[in-house]
């Protein structure tokens, strides 16, 4: 089975990204052919600093490798290194409804936050995301719950393409974890932990030092009761139970049972210890990996080469079906400039 997912190289990666997505990427290597992409083109849809973006790609690559991605068992690459992604994005626009893009929750939230310019890129973000996945004919897309709507849209796009131009693309399905699909802000547990929309004190970053992690968890907002149970009236405690269940690789009910009667103070301390133990090895490996930029670039370059050979085949089929460019010459994904000139 082919599994594809992408992650933005923006900001500092947090516990929500780690639990909802990165953990699944590492597992994907066991379950199939894992293809992971650092989506720097997506990062240009909101205001950003050009030099910081380049650094952030390497930060994210180092983080993914530190979490357990192994270039020998997966394809890890930078989106902008594979020009097939933006080209396929444009071609897929032909079968994407403008009204659907306007209805995307992420577009509505992020466009409302822009002060100066709502870029067209922000509107087309989910079409590029569809191109990322469909270029690899991936069957499964591991994501957090916030990406459910985007994966539904990419399914619609693939279906509409196949209907209009003939069976060409695989219709992918999302893989959203049962527990940990939506880790909440520790200070405002009604909102998801997020790179751009959550509080500093309510966000645990993967690279936070242990004292910072402990402080944030001990000051996590809870209700005035003392029962450690999941309930819609107890979003703060429910969130901590979920974090603990993921880290312990157990059921939330088992966490409730174990901490029954313990009180919030003891429970928060236990969650803090668990999170520190969970993230400390990643932080250590990250520091080592991040120091060698040439090695990181080499991993991404090799990944991009492998990615291009798959995406090029899909693009050639899509162009052929759509009547774009010269008729396809079988055996070559695309004529090279050398071929054309000879
Ligand atoms: N709170 C979360 N709980 C579980 N999963 C989450 N994800 C994001 N937040 C949570 C999942 O992380 C993956 C990468 O997301 P991204 O590429 O959008 O990266 P980001 O911009 O750093 O993520 P954020 O925090 O969601 O940023 P904002 O809110 O600013 O856009 C995705 O699979 C996502 O589901």
């Amino acid at each position: 089975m082919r599994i594809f997912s992408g992650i933005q190289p923006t900001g500092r990666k947090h516990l929500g990204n780690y639990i909802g997505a990165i953990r699944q990427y590492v597992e994907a290597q066991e379950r199939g052919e894992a293809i992971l992409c650092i989506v720097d083109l997506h990062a240009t849809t909101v205001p950003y600093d050009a030099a910081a973006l380049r650094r952030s790609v390497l930060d994210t690559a180092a983080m993914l490798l530190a979490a357990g991605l192994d270039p020998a068992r997966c394809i890890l690459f930078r989106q902008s290194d594979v020009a097939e992604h933006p080209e396929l994005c444009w071609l897929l626009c032909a079968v994407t409804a403008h009204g659907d893009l306007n209805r995307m929750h992420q577009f509505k939230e992020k466009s409302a936050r822009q002060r100066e310019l709502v870029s067209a890129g922000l509107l087309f973000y989910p079409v590029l995301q569809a191109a990322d996945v469909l270029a690899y004919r991936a069957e499964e897309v591991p994501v957090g719950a916030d990406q459910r709507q985007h994966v539904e849209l990419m399914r619609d796009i693939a279906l509409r393409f196949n209907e209009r131009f003939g069976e060409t693309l695989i219709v992918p399905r999302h893989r959203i974890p049962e527990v940990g699909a939506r880790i909440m802000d520790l200070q405002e547990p009604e909102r998801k932990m997020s790179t751009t929309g959550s509080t500093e004190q309510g966000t645990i970053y993967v690279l936070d030092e242990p004292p910072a992690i402990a402080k944030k968890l001990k000051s996590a907002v809870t209700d005035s009761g003392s029962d450690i149970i999941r309930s819609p009236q107890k979003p703060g405690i429910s969130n901590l139970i979920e974090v603990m269940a993921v880290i312990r690789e157990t059921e939330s009910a088992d966490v409730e049972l174990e901490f029954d009667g313990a009180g919030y103070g003891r429970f928060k301390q236990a969650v803090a210890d668990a999170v520190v133990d969970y993230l400390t090895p990643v932080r250590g490996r990250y520091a080592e990996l991040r120091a060698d930029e040439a090695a990181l670039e080499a991993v991404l370059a090799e990944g991009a080469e492998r990615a291009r050979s798959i995406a090029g085949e899909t693009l050639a089929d899509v162009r052929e079906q759509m009547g774009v460019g010269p008729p396809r010459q079988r055996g070559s994904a695309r004529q090279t400039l050398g071929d054309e000139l000879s």
Side-chain angles (χ1 to χ4, degrees):
M1 177 173 49
R2 194 172 277 164
I3 304 167
F4 180 98
S5 198
I7 186 163
Q8 293 204 68
T10 38
R12 294 172 285 167
K13 291 300 151 199
H14 52 75
L15 189 63
N17 297 137
Y18 200 89
I19 286 180
I22 297 174
R23 177 178 60 114
Q24 295 204 80
Y25 304 166
V26 177
E27 285 167 11
Q29 298 178 119
E30 310 295 334
R31 295 188 307 105
E33 189 187 349
I35 307 180
L36 287 319
C37 179
I38 301 173
V39 295
D40 56 342
L41 296 177
H42 277 107
T44 65
T45 58
V46 288
Y48 73 99
D49 177 85
L53 177 60
R54 274 216 182 94
R55 284 195 301 274
S56 298
V57 169
L58 298 183
D59 294 346
T60 308
M63 167 125 338
L64 295 176
L65 295 170
L69 284 188
D70 173 0
R73 290 191 299 149
C74 72
I75 298 179
L76 172 64
F77 69 104
R78 169 171 39 210
Q79 187 184 32
S80 61
D81 287 343
V82 182
E84 280 78 1
H85 291 231
E87 181 177 346
L88 184 57
C89 170
W90 180 253
L91 295 174
L92 293 176
C93 283
V95 287
T96 304
H98 175 257
D100 285 346
L101 297 180
N102 266 323
R103 273 192 289 279
M104 293 291 116
H105 305 310
Q106 182 178 290
F107 174 68
K108 286 193 210 161
E109 281 160 27
K110 290 200 174 172
S111 58
R113 270 192 251 145
Q114 303 312 313
R115 299 250 178 278
E116 286 173 8
L117 172 85
V118 177
S119 73
L122 203 53
L123 183 70
F124 286 97
Y125 186 112
V127 193
L128 181 57
Q129 200 175 354
D132 292 343
V133 175
L134 301 180
Y136 298 91
R137 296 189 163 113
E139 291 154 270
E140 198 181 89
V141 191
V143 283
D146 60 331
Q147 292 299 318
R148 183 187 298 270
Q149 196 185 32
H150 284 175
V151 180
E152 285 305 317
L153 181 73
M154 72 180 68
R155 287 174 60 82
D156 291 346
I157 291 174
L159 284 167
R160 203 174 293 132
F161 186 97
N162 289 344
E163 216 170 88
R164 167 79 178 80
F165 296 108
E167 212 56 39
T168 310
L169 300 171
I170 298 280
V171 182
R173 59 181 181 277
H174 62 62
R175 183 180 167 96
I176 296 177
E178 274 175 33
V179 185
R182 193 172 169 83
I183 300 299
M184 310 307 276
D185 183 317
L186 301 176
Q187 289 298 313
E188 296 176 19
E190 299 80 16
R191 289 168 53 176
K192 78 162 188 138
M193 196 176 278
S194 138
T195 306
T196 52
S198 65
T199 62
E200 176 73 18
Q201 197 53 29
T203 307
I204 292 180
Y205 297 102
V206 178
L207 300 180
D208 271 349
E209 296 287 336
I213 295 176
K215 188 163 173 236
K216 289 176 183 177
L217 277 159
K218 283 187 204 154
S219 57
V221 166
T222 47
D223 53 278
S224 56
S226 62
D227 292 337
I228 294 160
I229 49 167
R230 286 159 297 159
S231 144
Q233 283 74 48
K234 295 163 83 70
I237 280 295
S238 302
N239 190 36
L240 297 183
I241 291 172
E242 202 151 305
V243 168
M244 193 64 157
V246 168
I247 292 178
R248 291 265 189 93
E249 296 181 5
T250 180
E251 303 290 324
S252 297
D254 293 335
V255 174
E256 291 172 339
L257 210 62
E258 181 181 343
F259 290 93
D260 183 29
Y264 287 173
R266 234 186 81 201
F267 179 54
K268 284 181 181 179
Q269 181 64 56
V271 179
D273 292 344
V275 173
V276 166
D277 288 351
Y278 188 57
L279 296 180
T280 297
V282 182
R283 217 176 62 250
R285 285 193 294 271
Y286 173 88
E288 255 172 58
L289 289 157
R290 184 64 184 85
D292 192 346
E293 296 201 346
L296 293 171
E297 286 289 2
V299 166
L300 295 176
E302 202 231 319
E305 206 177 311
R306 291 165 67 198
R308 265 194 302 270
S309 73
I310 303 173
E313 276 295 318
T314 311
L315 239 297
D317 287 344
V318 166
R319 288 166 63 99
E320 176 76 359
Q321 296 299 104
M322 291 182 77
V324 169
R328 182 170 188 192
Q329 291 185 337
R330 287 286 151 194
S332 69
R334 180 84 69 82
Q335 277 189 321
T336 64
L337 187 62
D339 291 339
E340 282 157 16
L341 294 177
S342 63

